[in-house]
Amino acid sequence: MKLFGTVILFLIVFSCSNPKGKIRPVERDLTESVYSSVTIQPDSLYQSYAIVSGILDMNLVEEGDAVSVGDPILQIINNTPKLNAENAKLSLHLAQENFNGNATILEGIRNEIEAAILKYKNDSINYFRQKNLWNQKIGSKMQYDTKQLNYKLSSSNLRLLQSKYNSTKKELETKVKQAQNNYQTALITNRDFVVKSKINGKVYALYKEPGEIVNTQEPLASIGSASHFIIEMLVDEVDIVRIAKHQKVIIQLDAYNSAIFTGVVSKIYPKKDERNQTFKVEAVFDEAPKILYPGLSGEANIIIDKKENVLTIPKAYLIDDSQVKTEAGLVAITIGLQNLEFVEVLSGITKNTYIYTPD
């Protein structure tokens, strides 16, 4: 009974000494920060797509496997590219045979040219012989004209065959090159049915099972770094202008209870997400937890500013963000740094001024 009376007396004395929440400003270290939600993601995380359609034949890796650049991940099957490659190969062989083979078109033209050369030489000899005779007034005009005509026809025919040979050779060369290109394209298309890793990392997800249809619109796998992780934060648009690279970040992850981790802002994405009116900001750990998984969530505070030994009052005592209630009535103050609990007082009152909670 005596103890109960003592407690009542203490409460009465305390109430009289601190009427209406009467306090004085206090000097303390003050840190201002911006709050953000957190999601952990592997560095260089990307979704792998097929560039051809078909049916998934097999997954060549399992979720959690380590992969290197160029390692096959999935095999897709489609008979059409194989048939196209075989047809392109046959076309290439035919074009090469037409150009280089024993019974080629060019060989036939070369034979015609050789015969034309012999005829040209013979007609040339006959013509110039007849011309000499004609100059000596020997022989008839008809014989001379006939030899001259045969000579001109032979010369013209030889030029035509040589031109035909050159144009046919270029045409066949072009067909060989086109066939080679078509064959290489078919081989490349055929190779596209094997999806490969673009980075050194880990397979975090496989989205298709063997036998399912694969197209170019749906992701097949998710691959990212196995050892480096990024802290993804969503910052409200009203705070984004206060965020800068290299600012310190205090992180708390749900998976690690009350453990505190630190990091620094590494990247600020300039485009706003219109759905939730936020900007994405990335940070990296100073020292990451030993075990991390994609999608781990938590919260973070990005340190905007920090001051030591500044005059502060609780935010609950602030009226209209610019006044406090004192023994002399409402007094205008200038505020500076602030956090969720306290606000810095730059001018208007001193540490000896009593302030009261608002009515």
Side-chain angles (χ1 to χ4, degrees):
M1 190 71 176
K2 182 177 179 180
L3 177 61
F4 181 72
T6 302
V7 172
I8 293 177
L9 179 62
F10 173 78
L11 291 174
I12 293 174
V13 172
F14 180 78
S15 298
C16 293
S17 62
N18 189 24
K20 297 183 180 180
K22 176 181 176 182
I23 63 168
R24 287 190 296 187
V26 176
E27 290 184 347
R28 58 166 51 86
D29 296 342
L30 193 62
T31 299
E32 184 175 7
S33 63
V34 169
Y35 172 83
S36 170
S37 59
V38 162
T39 303
I40 303 300
Q41 295 291 6
D43 191 14
S44 304
L45 182 68
Y46 79 96
Q47 290 185 321
S48 181
Y49 288 80
I51 60 176
V52 292
S53 298
I55 297 175
L56 181 61
D57 185 32
M58 66 178 68
N59 288 317
L60 303 176
V61 294
E62 294 182 358
E63 292 169 323
D65 284 355
V67 291
S68 300
V69 175
D71 283 354
I73 301 171
L74 308 107
Q75 174 68 57
I76 303 168
I77 55 175
N78 189 326
N79 291 329
T80 302
K82 290 183 178 180
L83 294 175
N84 289 340
E86 291 178 3
N87 290 334
K89 187 176 182 180
L90 292 173
S91 297
L92 175 60
H93 287 165
L94 179 60
Q96 290 172 333
E97 183 65 25
N98 287 336
F99 184 67
N100 298 317
N102 295 326
T104 64
I105 299 173
L106 290 179
E107 184 65 24
I109 300 175
R110 279 196 294 265
N111 293 335
E112 289 183 41
I113 290 175
E114 289 179 2
I117 290 174
L118 293 175
K119 189 175 186 307
Y120 170 75
K121 288 180 178 180
N122 184 62
D123 289 340
S124 175
I125 292 171
N126 292 333
Y127 165 67
F128 284 106
R129 180 183 297 144
Q130 190 64 41
K131 182 179 181 182
N132 289 331
L133 292 172
W134 179 249
N135 290 334
Q136 299 173 30
K137 307 299 182 179
I138 300 174
S140 66
K141 182 71 166 58
M142 181 179 294
Q143 288 178 320
Y144 172 74
D145 290 341
T146 301
K147 302 295 184 184
Q148 185 182 47
L149 179 60
N150 290 339
Y151 168 71
K152 289 181 178 180
L153 290 174
S154 297
S155 176
S156 177
N157 184 52
L158 179 59
R159 287 195 302 270
L160 288 174
L161 287 173
Q162 288 173 334
S163 177
K164 179 181 178 182
Y165 177 85
N166 292 331
S167 62
T168 304
K169 182 179 180 182
K170 288 182 180 179
E171 182 181 350
L172 293 175
E173 285 178 338
T174 300
K175 288 184 177 180
V176 170
K177 290 179 180 178
Q178 289 175 338
Q180 287 175 334
N181 292 338
N182 292 336
Y183 182 51
Q184 291 300 320
T185 301
L187 289 178
I188 291 172
T189 303
N190 209 24
R191 287 197 295 268
D192 289 339
F193 282 77
V194 178
V195 180
K196 298 180 180 180
S197 174
K198 302 297 182 184
I199 64 171
N200 297 324
K202 180 188 288 188
V203 178
Y204 286 99
L206 295 171
Y207 301 119
K208 292 285 186 179
E209 294 295 332
E212 292 189 274
I213 295 175
V214 171
N215 58 47
T216 59
Q217 305 299 318
E218 297 176 318
L220 300 179
S222 181
I223 303 172
S225 173
S227 56
H228 295 87
F229 287 81
I230 296 296
I231 306 160
E232 288 188 358
M233 299 175 289
L234 298 179
V235 176
D236 193 275
E237 65 174 327
V238 300
D239 295 317
I240 192 62
V241 295
R242 307 162 71 194
I243 307 300
K245 291 179 68 174
H246 309 302
Q247 287 176 335
K248 187 174 182 180
V249 183
I250 309 299
I251 307 110
Q252 186 173 6
L253 299 176
D254 296 339
Y256 283 90
N257 297 323
S258 58
I260 300 297
F261 304 96
T262 62
V264 292
V265 174
S266 59
K267 186 175 183 179
I268 302 170
Y269 287 82
K271 189 177 186 306
K272 183 176 73 172
D273 188 335
E274 298 294 343
R275 295 170 299 178
N276 50 27
Q277 304 298 303
T278 60
F279 288 81
K280 186 165 79 169
V281 176
E282 289 184 356
V284 293
F285 284 103
D286 291 328
E287 185 175 349
K290 291 184 178 180
I291 301 175
L292 286 174
Y293 291 96
L296 289 181
S297 61
E299 55 187 16
N301 284 285
I302 305 171
I303 306 302
I304 303 302
D305 200 357
K306 185 176 183 180
K307 293 183 179 179
E308 296 181 353
N309 297 322
V310 295
L311 194 66
T312 66
I313 62 171
K315 273 193 170 181
Y317 285 74
L318 197 60
I319 301 173
D320 296 332
D321 294 331
S322 62
Q323 293 179 317
V324 291
K325 185 176 182 181
T326 69
E327 293 176 341
L330 293 179
V331 174
I333 64 171
T334 303
I335 63 174
L337 208 62
Q338 56 183 304
N339 59 23
L340 293 176
E341 297 180 80
F342 299 99
V343 60
E344 176 189 10
V345 178
L346 298 176
S347 64
I349 59 176
T350 69
K351 63 180 180 180
N352 296 318
T353 304
Y354 282 102
I355 62 174
Y356 300 86
T357 54
D359 292 336

